[in-house]
Amino acid sequence: MKNKRDDYQLSIINNRFKVCLLLVLSIFLLSCEEIQTPKTEPFVSEKNLPPPKQEFRWSNGKLPKSFDPARAAAAPETDVVRALFEGLTDVDAKNLEPIAALATEWKASEDFKTWTFKLRQDAKWSNGEIITALDFVRSWKRLAELGDKVSQRQLLKNIVGMNTESVLPVFAEEESDNLDPANSSNSAEKETANFANLSNSNTAVLSKSTPKVEKKTKTKAKFGVEAVEKFSLQVTLIHPDKDFPRLVAYPIFRPVYGDGKNFESVELSKNIITNGAFVISEIEKNSLTLARASNYWNKNEIKLETVKFVAKDNAEQALAAYRAGEVDAVSNANFAPLALKLLMTYKDLQQTKHSALSFYEFNLNKKPFDDVRVREALAITIERERLTQDEMDGATQPATVFLPFIDAVKNGETLKAEAKEHEKLALDVERAKQLLSEAGFANGQNFPAVTLLVNRNDLQKRIAGAVKKMWKKHLNIETNIVLKDKDDFQNSFQNGEYDLVRRGVVLPTNDETANMLAMFEKTPTLPLSTQTTDEGVKPDDSNNILNEKTAEANLNFSDNDETQITVEKAAQMVIDKREELILTEKEALEKLPAIPLYFPMSFSLIKPYIKGFETNLLDAHSLKKVEIDNNWQPNNSKTNSNSLN
């Protein structure tokens, strides 16, 4: 009797165990199935119904501080200026190629130092007045006069008479005739006097009482922007630039009406006269509304009726507005790393490489860094993929070239020939060891400890630490990392107290010459007591990798007795330095004055019913081809949604 009772109890226990086991197994299998085949919404927000009219609502940061093209350095100002104003050229938002805008055609001299732009004759200001070449001459002279108030003023330095960063303005030599006006053979003199006076303000106005003098040649200051005809503009450059039409597409080169006095007020005004596809309609506390311009020459091709810039203080607010259906697109937002990881699964997140570079620049005045073999050895022993993945969570791309545009599309094909340059600075430990041995430092013997100057920043500290380990591992070279706050960093940089220094630069244009001059032109500067530096936007902490805007000004001149720096001495040094200029990326890769490290990434959110809003390396968004697909409908199937809360 006891055995039967025991068997019965054992059977009950076994059955319960089997039930529990099956239950646990079922839960496990269900969990595995959910892990393997997650079901998510394809878009970040379920509130994706398009607006009933052609109104584009865009969050691109806070409200702009100014509508002045001269002061447009980054979004939101650059986005607004591109909508309100038009320049000689624009860039195709898809492939970044220059396209016609106010200029219908352009041509260069054989040496690429003189460019002539033919303007369309049907373009008007918003007040109905015709736009002429004089408007460009007047506006570009204003840029030269504004000096360091101009954002990205380094882009002006290659235009004769506009090099506002040099010790002396760089002027061209030209032949001058001081003749009796009565003997002048210029039949169009009276008709074009207005253009001549404005395009060459340094030419004396001659009266009938001017005595006859013999023809002679003299050097005089020349402004390299001239209205040669009413609708023809000629620009003279200091150095050849085959990409100049790309450069003048940048917002600062867009003309303003009259003398630009309307921009001097600190308050935003909707009464300014513009010439772009949109005009200012309404300015409110947290928004700016633009309307399609009635006087724009190509107004029939503009689909949007209104554009509303919705101001948000940070990325979290912008993301919340996007999910709530209050805005149609978000750009210029520094999403936190965790938010980016969650957003990566959605179709409406757009990510592109950003046209900015973080790099280590050499002090070429110090040995052994004056040896290109040493510089290349250090450059090709940096494991860039590890830096971007381990230190920056994949939010950057490795840089083995100086310019990020190698992947851009040109004439429908990838630049395969130029892409070969990518391999030059790829990881190659064996070649690095050979180069170092040829330079006299086999296995790193007798190589001095490298002084690496870095701005005090958690991210840059980690990157420097990783690079230090790589150089020790591959080349047996020691590195001393020197961390400095902004002011101390600037002083050490200016005084040359480094072997390598970390720099960051934004490349606002895809003009190769302008970018090389911005990065590597060795121009002496006046003493700090008399000069102005362009600080740009300082790099933020490790959570804001995208804030790699501009580093400190490129100061490379120092003297033990600063009071002895004369204008004449500085001018002679400018001449002496000309042969050291780097004007192309090919030259930069050959001379290797710096080590490129990484390109940051930029991220945008765009609703599925928005058509024609292109993202690109330059963050050069154009509204001219944007339109709302009012008939778009979301997928009706019910699926589980990822949570971003």
Side-chain angles (χ1 to χ4, degrees), residues 49-289:
L49 290 177
K53 58 181 181 178
Q54 290 293 319
E55 179 185 41
F56 180 52
R57 301 162 300 172
W58 183 6
S59 173
N60 66 341
K62 301 179 181 180
L63 283 184
K65 295 180 179 179
S66 172
F67 297 140
D68 188 353
R71 293 172 169 83
E77 284 79 10
T78 48
D79 291 326
V80 174
V81 166
R82 285 188 175 98
L84 294 176
F85 294 92
E86 188 161 82
L88 293 171
T89 63
D90 208 341
V91 291
D92 188 310
K94 285 187 176 181
N95 57 28
L96 299 182
E97 288 296 299
I99 56 177
L102 291 182
T104 57
E105 57 180 288
W106 48 85
K107 63 179 180 179
S109 58
E110 290 185 3
D111 61 1
F112 292 102
K113 293 175 67 175
T114 302
W115 285 85
T116 303
F117 296 85
K118 296 295 183 182
L119 305 186
R120 63 178 68 254
Q121 299 183 25
D122 58 344
K124 299 178 180 179
W125 294 99
S126 55
N127 64 357
E129 293 185 23
I130 297 294
I131 300 170
T132 70
L134 279 176
D135 291 308
F136 282 93
V137 176
R138 187 164 33 236
S139 296
W140 290 16
K141 276 195 171 185
R142 174 176 177 260
L143 292 177
E145 292 166 357
L146 286 173
D148 60 5
K149 295 180 181 178
V150 177
S151 298
Q152 306 289 8
R153 74 184 190 277
Q154 75 276 8
L155 299 181
L156 309 177
K157 65 171 59 180
N158 195 31
I159 300 175
V160 168
M162 294 186 71
N163 192 354
T164 60
E165 289 184 288
S166 292
V167 176
L168 292 176
V170 181
F171 294 126
E173 291 187 0
E174 63 175 15
E175 193 172 67
S176 174
D177 290 27
N178 288 334
L179 298 176
D180 188 337
N183 296 330
S184 174
S185 61
N186 184 1
S187 61
E189 182 176 2
K190 291 183 179 179
E191 181 179 350
T192 60
N194 213 13
F195 298 103
N197 290 338
L198 188 54
S199 61
N200 192 353
S201 61
N202 297 286
T203 301
V205 179
L206 303 177
S207 66
K208 290 184 178 180
S209 61
T210 303
K212 290 184 179 181
V213 294
E214 293 183 0
K215 179 178 179 179
K216 61 180 181 179
T217 300
K218 69 175 184 178
T219 300
K220 64 176 181 178
K222 175 188 175 183
F223 186 65
V225 185
E226 301 176 81
V228 293
E229 293 178 2
K230 185 175 182 179
F231 297 105
S232 181
L233 186 75
Q234 188 175 89
V235 184
T236 305
L237 307 180
I238 301 168
H239 309 292
D241 185 357
K242 60 182 176 58
D243 292 334
F244 190 65
R246 302 176 188 267
L247 177 65
V248 294
Y250 191 72
I252 65 170
F253 294 99
R254 306 190 179 200
V256 298
Y257 183 80
D259 57 10
K261 296 294 184 182
N262 290 340
F263 298 113
E264 294 182 357
S265 173
V266 294
E267 298 292 332
L268 295 177
S269 171
K270 68 176 184 178
N271 296 322
I272 63 171
I273 297 172
T274 60
N275 70 349
F278 297 88
V279 294
I280 302 169
S281 174
E282 196 67 44
I283 303 174
E284 298 178 316
K285 182 179 180 180
N286 294 312
S287 67
L288 167 68
T289 303

Side-chain angles (χ1 to χ4, degrees), residues 258-465:
D259 57 10
K261 296 294 184 182
N262 290 340
F263 298 113
E264 294 182 357
S265 173
V266 294
E267 298 292 332
L268 295 177
S269 171
K270 68 176 184 178
N271 296 322
I272 63 171
I273 297 172
T274 60
N275 70 349
F278 297 88
V279 294
I280 302 169
S281 174
E282 196 67 44
I283 303 174
E284 298 178 316
K285 182 179 180 180
N286 294 312
S287 67
L288 167 68
T289 303
L290 309 184
R292 186 167 52 201
S294 59
N295 281 330
Y296 181 57
W297 66 270
N298 201 24
K299 64 181 179 181
N300 292 334
E301 297 298 319
I302 307 301
K303 304 299 182 183
L304 293 175
E305 297 171 2
T306 58
V307 177
K308 187 173 184 178
F309 291 92
V310 181
K312 297 297 177 184
D313 290 334
N314 51 56
E316 290 74 20
Q317 291 182 9
L319 180 57
Y322 184 85
R323 297 191 67 224
E326 297 173 7
V327 297
D328 306 307
V330 174
S331 64
N332 189 37
N334 293 323
F335 295 114
L338 179 58
L340 278 178
K341 288 181 178 179
L342 292 173
L343 290 169
M344 286 295 182
T345 61
Y346 296 99
K347 292 182 180 179
D348 44 347
L349 178 73
Q350 304 290 322
Q351 54 180 317
T352 59
K353 184 165 53 177
H354 185 46
S355 58
L357 175 69
S358 182
F359 60 102
Y360 287 161
E361 184 173 12
F362 288 100
N363 186 341
L364 301 180
N365 295 320
K366 285 192 174 183
K367 292 183 177 299
F369 307 102
D370 58 344
D371 190 329
V372 69
R373 295 171 298 183
V374 170
R375 301 198 295 271
E376 184 177 347
L378 292 172
I380 62 178
T381 46
I382 294 180
E383 302 168 47
R384 293 170 177 81
E385 289 77 9
R386 281 188 55 191
L387 290 181
T388 58
Q389 293 300 323
D390 296 349
E391 305 301 335
M392 292 169 281
D393 295 324
T396 63
Q397 284 192 11
T400 53
V401 288
F402 291 98
L403 301 180
F405 308 106
I406 197 71
D407 296 327
V409 176
K410 185 176 183 180
N411 299 327
E413 296 182 0
T414 304
L415 305 177
K416 295 180 180 179
E418 296 181 26
K420 293 180 181 178
E421 299 293 344
H422 271 287
E423 304 302 321
K424 181 176 177 61
L425 299 184
L427 183 66
D428 192 340
V429 176
E430 293 306 314
R431 173 170 171 75
K433 290 180 178 179
Q434 179 183 346
L435 288 169
L436 207 61
S437 179
E438 292 174 0
F441 303 100
N443 196 34
Q445 294 298 315
N446 300 320
F447 196 95
V450 177
T451 299
L452 176 57
L453 177 62
V454 176
N455 45 303
R456 193 179 298 278
N457 174 303
D458 289 341
L459 171 62
Q460 296 307 325
K461 179 181 178 181
R462 294 201 311 270
I463 292 174

Side-chain angles (χ1 to χ4, degrees), residues 371-627:
D371 190 329
V372 69
R373 295 171 298 183
V374 170
R375 301 198 295 271
E376 184 177 347
L378 292 172
I380 62 178
T381 46
I382 294 180
E383 302 168 47
R384 293 170 177 81
E385 289 77 9
R386 281 188 55 191
L387 290 181
T388 58
Q389 293 300 323
D390 296 349
E391 305 301 335
M392 292 169 281
D393 295 324
T396 63
Q397 284 192 11
T400 53
V401 288
F402 291 98
L403 301 180
F405 308 106
I406 197 71
D407 296 327
V409 176
K410 185 176 183 180
N411 299 327
E413 296 182 0
T414 304
L415 305 177
K416 295 180 180 179
E418 296 181 26
K420 293 180 181 178
E421 299 293 344
H422 271 287
E423 304 302 321
K424 181 176 177 61
L425 299 184
L427 183 66
D428 192 340
V429 176
E430 293 306 314
R431 173 170 171 75
K433 290 180 178 179
Q434 179 183 346
L435 288 169
L436 207 61
S437 179
E438 292 174 0
F441 303 100
N443 196 34
Q445 294 298 315
N446 300 320
F447 196 95
V450 177
T451 299
L452 176 57
L453 177 62
V454 176
N455 45 303
R456 193 179 298 278
N457 174 303
D458 289 341
L459 171 62
Q460 296 307 325
K461 179 181 178 181
R462 294 201 311 270
I463 292 174
V467 170
K468 173 181 179 178
K469 292 178 181 178
M470 294 171 190
W471 285 340
K472 177 62 177 177
K473 172 185 175 183
H474 298 312
L475 299 176
N476 193 32
I477 288 177
E478 299 291 343
T479 303
N480 296 324
I481 300 172
V482 179
L483 299 173
K484 297 274 189 178
D485 292 325
K486 188 179 82 170
D487 291 340
D488 290 338
F489 178 94
Q490 179 69 19
N491 291 333
S492 295
F493 185 22
Q494 181 192 357
N495 295 328
E497 299 170 354
Y498 63 90
D499 297 325
L500 286 100
V501 58
R502 185 265 165 184
R503 291 185 57 206
V505 62
V506 165
L507 308 170
T509 171
N510 55 344
D511 180 319
E512 183 178 26
T513 300
N515 287 331
M516 290 296 108
L517 287 173
M519 280 193 277
F520 299 127
E521 186 178 24
K522 308 302 182 187
T523 302
T525 58
L526 288 175
L528 286 178
S529 60
T530 60
Q531 74 178 8
T532 302
T533 61
D534 183 13
E535 298 175 356
V537 182
K538 69 176 183 178
D540 213 332
D541 60 24
S542 59
N543 288 330
N544 289 326
I545 296 172
L546 297 182
N547 275 347
E548 296 292 341
K549 297 298 183 186
T550 52
E552 304 297 330
N554 185 12
L555 306 177
N556 295 303
F557 180 78
S558 63
D559 195 297
N560 292 332
D561 184 4
E562 290 185 339
T563 61
Q564 298 301 312
I565 303 176
T566 63
V567 171
E568 291 78 8
K569 178 179 178 181
Q572 183 59 46
M573 293 188 66
V574 171
I575 296 173
D576 294 341
K577 291 286 185 179
R578 285 288 170 84
E579 62 183 18
E580 299 179 18
L581 286 176
I582 295 175
L583 300 178
T584 67
E585 179 161 66
K586 183 178 180 181
E587 293 174 352
L589 290 170
E590 289 173 352
K591 297 179 181 180
L592 215 60
I595 302 174
L597 295 175
Y598 62 84
F599 302 116
M601 301 288 290
S602 63
F603 302 88
S604 303
L605 289 168
I606 305 170
K607 294 284 187 176
Y609 50 77
I610 299 298
K611 307 300 178 185
F613 186 80
E614 303 289 345
T615 58
N616 52 59
L617 282 77
L618 292 175
D619 284 339
H621 306 292
S622 174
L623 297 173
K624 296 177 184 177
K625 295 184 178 181
V626 175
E627 61 180 306

